């Protein structure tokens, strides 16, 4: 149905003005011409972002095109220190507080910490570089808000503005509807380390849209939300291992975000409410959680939302670090939905690493449980990628070849709780096309990436091609796991081709711009299957500015 046209351009203009103010960061950073923009900094804004490790031993291109963080996440971003080191600005008198007393290696390490200060989840931010006597880099807007209250309190946030021009894809899936609109988002956080045992973290989010003709998507608008509000309690720490309990509202991010993510591409971001127990030592991170998803209530979008206690999400996630093959993840994830009357249990693993210029990542799992019609659930997924870093004179592009598979169900029952694989709470935007036409369910996705710096190290180009096919002749599913067509079974399995082109410009380590174009060429499924909303091609043009402070 058509919605009453909304004109909230004033809000968009206000946040755009704030964004312009924050670009003053760039003027400051430009004075620091010797700062090398790291690979991680040029990988900021391509795909709704993920856990990335970019160093001499581990680098994957899937992680190189993440959008949601301005710097890679370290292990402590997922398994943060129970009590992050305080940032203090008090002057210190010492004999090695100038560049002549610090080695280049120490200065470079401090600069890297500056670039990586912001994580994919803001509660994993680390501003300790501000207290490093070997740091001699630029200052940024918001630095004075770190290390307050005697080094116990950090304040900060993010402003993001994005423009969408969607042809043939407004809504969920291939709809044949056109629209254009603006998305604006403000995030503000407060991180207070009360003492060596207790930490309090809170984060506010305001997300708005303006100029659209059709109703906005649920992930585009939330005019005031408590995104994070939790307490950490340090239960045990001996310098080699630690055990932390966390209770309250919290975002979750695990692995490469194929199954669990805060979904940063969304204007609203995803969050949960419940408890976590986090253990880590030199070799292992072990995390157990029991939470309820927090769902936006479209009828009261200006109200703080509640957790959906009819849905239980729980599991255990283990990460083994420092192996010769790279990083190994092992996990069990459970989802019990009493509203739609299904329960799914997923056992999976992931390996990602490199061998010289050769890059690789493999992830897969099985899923079992009970479907909504009381039948047994039997599903699986698999992802395999092989990449290579090329060197042609001074040109260093990266190429990847990927295959993504998620099983489909049978034709007797097609619904949210059917027998097809369920991708749980992922960063779907990152993997199965930037147009978000398909979720990881009943899908074959044969895809290739080409990633290269252009016009210097601050500008990164990504070209990504997808060929989509159905696994079973039922229907494709959207990113919300809802079936696209419930009126007729598929007459052909070919969904179509998608080409994504994105250019990310890192203005400085705190601010970036993203320009993208995507086009989908509809396959025979849309031409031959009755009941589809459209069989026309679709395209997506977008541009985004983001700054953090």
């Amino acid at each position: 149905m058509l919605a009453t046209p909304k004109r909230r351009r004033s809000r968009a203009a206000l946040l755009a003005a704030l964004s312009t103010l924050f670009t003053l960061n760039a003027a400051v950073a430009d004075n620091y011409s010797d700062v090398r923009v790291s690979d991680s900094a040029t990988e900021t804004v391509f795909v709704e972002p993920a856990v990335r490790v970019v160093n001499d031993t581990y680098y994957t291109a899937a992680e190189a095109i993440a959008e949601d963080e301005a710097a890679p996440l370290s292990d402590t971003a997922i398994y943060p220190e129970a009590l992050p080191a305080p940032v203090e600005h008090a002057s210190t008198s010492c004999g090695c507080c100038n560049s002549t007393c610090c080695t280049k290696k120490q200065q470079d390490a401090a600069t890297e910490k500056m670039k990586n200060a912001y994580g994919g989840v803001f509660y994993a931010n680390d501003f300790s570089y501000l207290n490093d006597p070997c740091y001699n880099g630029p200052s940024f807007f918001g630095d004075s808000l770190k290390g307050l209250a005697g080094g116990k309190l950090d304040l900060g946030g993010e402003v993001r503005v994005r423009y969408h021009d969607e042809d043939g894809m407004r809504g969920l899936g291939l709809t044949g509807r056109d629209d254009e609109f603006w998305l604006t988002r403000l995030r503000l956080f407060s991180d207070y380390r009360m003492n060596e045992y207790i930490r309090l973290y809170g984060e506010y989010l305001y997300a708005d849209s303006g100029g659209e003709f059709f109703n906005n998507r649920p992930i585009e608008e939330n005019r005031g939300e408590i995104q994070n509000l939790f307490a950490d309690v340090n239960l045990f720490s001996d310098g080699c291992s630690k055990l932390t309990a966390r209770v309250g509202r919290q975002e979750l991010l695990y692995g490469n975000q194929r199954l669990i993510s805060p979904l940063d591409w969304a204007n609203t971001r995803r969050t949960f409410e419940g408890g976590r127990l986090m253990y880590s030592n030199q070799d292992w991170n072990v995390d157990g959680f029991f939470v309820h998803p927090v769902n936006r209530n479209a009828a009261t979008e200006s109200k703080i939302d509640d957790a959906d206690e009819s849905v239980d999400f729980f599991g255990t996630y283990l990460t083994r670090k420092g192996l010769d093959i790279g990083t190994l993840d092992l996990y069990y994830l459970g989802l019990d939905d009493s509203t739609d009357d299904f329960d799914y249990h997923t056992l999976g693993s992931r390996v990602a690493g490199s061998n010289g210029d050769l890059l690789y990542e493999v992830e897969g799992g099985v899923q079992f449980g009970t479907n909504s019609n009381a039948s047994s659930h039997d599903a699986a997924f698999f992802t395999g990628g092989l990449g290579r870093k090329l060197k042609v004179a001074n040109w260093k592009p990266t190429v990847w070849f990927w295959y993504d598979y998620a099983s489909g169900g049978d034709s007797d029952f097609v619904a949210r709780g059917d027998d097809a694989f369920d991708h749980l709470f992922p960063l779907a935007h990152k993997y199965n096309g930037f147009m978000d036409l398909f979720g990881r369910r009943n899908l074959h996705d044969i895809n290739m990436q080409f990633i290269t710096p252009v016009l210097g190290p601050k500008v990164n180009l990504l070209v990504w091609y997808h060929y989509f096919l159905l696994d079973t002749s039922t229907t494709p599913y959207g990113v919300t796991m809802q079936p696209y067509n419930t009126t007729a079974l598929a007459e052909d399995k070919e969904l179509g081709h998608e080409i994504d082109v994105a250019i990310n410009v890192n203005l400085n380590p705190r601010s970036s711009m993203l320009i993208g174009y995507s086009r989908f060429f509809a396959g025979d499924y849309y031409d031959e299957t009755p009941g589809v909303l459209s069989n026309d091609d679709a395209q997506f043009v977008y541009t985004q500015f983001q700054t953090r402070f």
Side-chain angles (χ1 to χ4, degrees):
M1 293 180 63
L2 295 181
T4 301
K6 293 186 288 183
R7 295 292 184 268
R8 287 185 292 275
R9 300 184 187 277
S10 59
R11 293 189 181 93
L14 176 60
L15 286 181
L18 287 172
S19 302
T20 303
L21 174 63
F22 294 136
T23 58
L24 292 175
N25 291 349
V28 177
D30 285 344
N31 293 329
Y32 189 63
S33 57
D34 292 335
V35 172
R36 178 185 61 85
V37 177
S38 68
D39 293 337
S40 62
T42 62
E43 298 159 6
T44 307
V45 190
F46 285 135
V47 193
E48 253 286 58
V51 175
R52 297 191 306 279
V53 178
V54 183
N55 53 36
D56 292 336
T57 59
Y58 173 37
Y59 175 94
T60 70
E63 296 150 346
I65 40 79
E67 183 276 337
D68 61 310
E69 60 260 18
L73 284 177
S74 64
D75 291 334
T76 56
I78 314 174
Y79 301 93
E81 298 286 343
L83 298 168
V87 177
E88 299 176 354
H89 294 288
S91 61
T92 303
S93 175
C94 67
C96 286
C97 293
N98 56 69
S99 59
T100 60
C101 294
C102 292
T103 65
K104 185 178 184 301
K105 183 177 180 180
Q106 290 173 319
Q107 291 177 342
D108 289 345
T111 299
E112 280 301 307
K113 292 192 70 174
M114 175 272 291
K115 297 172 185 176
N116 302 341
Y118 288 83
V121 284
F122 278 179
Y123 58 71
N125 293 346
D126 180 5
F127 301 105
S128 60
Y129 76 92
L130 292 171
N131 201 37
D132 190 335
C134 291
Y135 178 68
N136 62 349
S139 298
F140 298 98
F141 182 86
D143 284 358
S144 61
L145 299 177
K146 312 302 185 290
L148 302 176
K152 294 182 177 181
L153 176 65
D154 295 336
L155 303 175
E158 172 195 86
V159 172
R160 192 174 82 176
V161 180
R162 189 165 71 223
Y163 168 75
H164 283 223
D165 186 349
E166 303 180 0
D167 293 339
M169 54 170 285
R170 184 55 163 153
L172 295 173
L174 197 65
T175 61
R177 298 189 298 189
D178 304 341
D179 211 348
E180 59 179 311
F181 52 94
W182 289 86
L183 300 175
T184 53
R185 186 174 79 184
L186 172 67
R187 296 167 65 192
L188 300 171
F189 70 83
S190 172
D191 189 358
Y192 181 60
R193 298 166 290 275
M194 183 179 298
N195 53 45
E196 62 179 309
Y197 299 105
I198 299 176
R199 171 197 182 196
L200 302 176
Y201 180 86
E203 184 176 333
Y204 171 83
L205 180 145
Y206 184 96
D208 207 352
S209 64
E212 63 269 86
F213 183 71
F214 293 97
N215 284 331
N216 58 276
R217 299 181 179 96
I219 63 171
E220 292 172 349
E221 233 177 51
N222 194 341
R223 299 197 199 100
E225 184 63 83
I226 298 175
Q227 190 68 16
N228 288 277
L229 186 61
F230 61 77
D232 278 354
V233 179
N234 186 356
L235 301 177
F236 172 79
S237 178
D238 63 0
C240 296
S241 59
K242 56 185 176 288
L243 179 65
T244 305
R246 175 172 298 164
V247 179
R249 182 166 296 192
Q250 56 195 282
E251 296 174 334
L252 299 180
L253 191 158
Y254 289 104
N256 216 359
Q257 303 189 81
R258 288 188 176 89
L259 301 181
I260 307 177
S261 169
L263 187 57
D264 188 69
W265 175 259
N267 208 33
T268 57
R269 289 180 66 99
R270 179 187 292 128
T271 192
F272 301 85
E273 204 164 279
R276 295 167 69 183
L277 199 61
M278 299 169 286
Y279 172 80
S280 65
N281 59 27
Q282 184 176 357
D283 297 323
W284 286 94
N285 295 323
V286 182
D287 200 350
F289 63 90
F290 185 97
V291 296
H292 307 292
V294 175
N295 292 332
R296 185 179 78 84
N297 189 338
T300 56
E301 57 189 13
S302 297
K303 171 184 174 294
I304 299 298
D305 294 320
D306 298 321
D308 185 355
E309 296 185 355
S310 68
V311 179
D312 298 334
F313 185 44
F314 48 92
T316 302
Y317 204 101
L318 296 84
T319 298
R320 178 65 163 89
K321 302 164 287 185
L323 297 174
D324 291 340
I325 59 173
T327 297
L328 170 66
D329 294 340
L330 302 168
Y331 51 85
Y332 160 75
L333 305 172
L335 177 64
D336 190 340
D337 189 323
S338 59
T339 299
D340 290 330
D341 199 23
F342 66 83
D343 63 274
Y344 298 151
H345 305 270
T346 306
L347 291 172
S349 63
R350 170 179 170 265
V351 174
S354 65
N355 184 0
D357 292 334
L358 183 66
L359 316 168
Y360 52 87
E361 182 178 7
V362 178
E363 183 169 4
V366 296
Q367 195 172 77
F368 54 92
T370 306
N371 298 318
S372 294
N373 64 352
S375 63
S376 295
H377 186 74
D378 184 12
F381 86 103
F382 172 81
T383 292
L386 189 63
R388 188 172 184 85
K389 293 186 284 187
L390 306 176
K391 296 180 181 178
V392 183
N394 293 327
W395 186 38
K396 298 180 180 180
T398 301
V399 294
W400 274 89
F401 298 91
W402 294 93
Y403 170 64
D404 288 271
Y405 161 76
S407 63
D410 55 47
S411 60
D412 295 334
F413 178 59
V414 177
R416 171 66 177 85
D418 64 22
D419 201 39
F421 179 78
D422 190 295
H423 67 190
L424 303 177
F425 300 97
L427 181 58
H429 178 83
K430 181 181 177 182
Y431 295 108
N432 300 127
F434 293 174
M435 299 177 74
D436 291 323
L437 299 176
F438 310 111
R440 192 182 296 274
R441 191 173 202 177
N442 192 25
L443 189 69
H444 297 274
D445 180 4
I446 302 166
N447 57 99
M448 295 169 284
Q449 292 174 318
F450 177 78
I451 308 161
T452 182
V454 293
L455 303 175
K458 289 189 176 184
V459 183
N460 222 21
L461 168 69
L462 167 70
V463 180
W464 200 337
Y465 166 78
H466 297 264
Y467 180 48
F468 299 109
L469 297 161
L470 291 175
D471 179 44
T472 60
S473 298
T474 54
T475 181
Y477 294 78
V479 292
T480 63
M481 294 287 91
Q482 295 293 338
Y484 171 75
N485 185 355
T486 59
T487 62
L489 298 177
E491 295 291 337
D492 193 282
K493 290 186 176 182
E494 185 190 51
L495 294 173
H497 309 256
E498 180 174 328
I499 183 77
D500 299 315
V501 181
I503 297 174
N504 180 64
V505 182
N506 284 273
L507 304 173
N508 64 41
R510 298 291 180 265
S511 303
S512 62
M513 291 190 65
L514 172 67
I515 303 170
Y517 173 80
S518 298
R519 187 169 183 88
F520 178 72
F521 302 90
D524 290 342
Y525 166 83
Y526 295 97
D527 290 329
E528 300 180 12
T529 304
V532 299
L533 298 176
S534 174
N535 64 348
D536 293 330
D537 297 344
Q539 69 177 13
F540 177 31
V541 179
Y542 55 96
T543 183
Q544 174 180 288
F545 171 79
Q546 173 180 285
T547 189
R548 290 168 173 176
F549 55 92

